[in-house]
Amino acid sequence: MKNDAALMIHAVNEHHILYYTVSKHLNTAYEDAELYEYGIRCALCDKRGGLMDEEDIQCVSPNFNLVRQITNILAKYQVYPVHLLEILDDLMNRDNLPEDDNQTSPLLCV
């Protein structure tokens, strides 16, 4: 798969910086058409920028807007790499993504 970064956002707290990158991957399994899929990489860094942990989920969805919305939710709630797969699974199994109303948390696992 060919990989291109499509979007990066970050969240900062007292001790860490979290980087969330939406990546674009060309799925080369299809010879007759080009199929792009978007993934999410979460990197946990110390305040100096040193990498402490990371998780990369390469194929979340072919829908860029959905992956962007999910990435915004992850950044808002500062999801750490160790929880990325579990939270992503919860969000993908919902009929609708949670609204940004500060009354419901998408973090069902926490």
Side-chain angles (χ1 to χ4, degrees):
M1 283 188 175
K2 184 180 174 188
N3 178 359
D4 295 311
L7 170 73
M8 179 187 277
I9 59 176
H10 70 279
V12 179
N13 63 35
E14 293 178 16
H15 307 289
H16 302 107
I17 304 170
L18 290 152
Y19 294 97
Y20 304 91
T21 306
V22 175
S23 54
K24 180 179 178 181
H25 304 272
L26 175 61
N27 188 329
T28 58
Y30 299 96
E31 295 178 7
D32 296 335
E34 289 186 354
L35 173 64
Y36 288 96
E37 299 165 327
Y38 297 93
I40 299 173
R41 177 179 177 264
C42 177
L44 173 66
C45 298
D46 60 26
K47 287 295 229 177
R48 296 182 187 150
L51 182 64
M52 299 173 66
D53 192 14
E54 67 182 330
E55 184 68 45
D56 189 8
I57 311 298
Q58 291 192 4
C59 298
V60 175
S61 173
N63 182 337
F64 174 77
N65 288 327
L66 173 65
V67 177
R68 181 185 48 79
Q69 287 177 307
I70 290 171
T71 305
N72 287 333
I73 291 168
L74 297 172
K76 177 181 177 180
Y77 291 98
Q78 298 186 10
V79 174
Y80 280 59
V82 68
H83 301 292
L84 180 62
L85 186 57
E86 191 173 10
I87 299 300
L88 184 58
D89 185 51
D90 284 344
L91 291 171
M92 294 297 290
N93 285 319
R94 290 174 166 235
D95 291 332
N96 296 312
L97 289 177
E99 297 295 324
D100 191 11
D101 60 5
N102 292 324
Q103 294 182 19
T104 60
S105 172
L107 308 181
L108 301 176
C109 300
V110 179

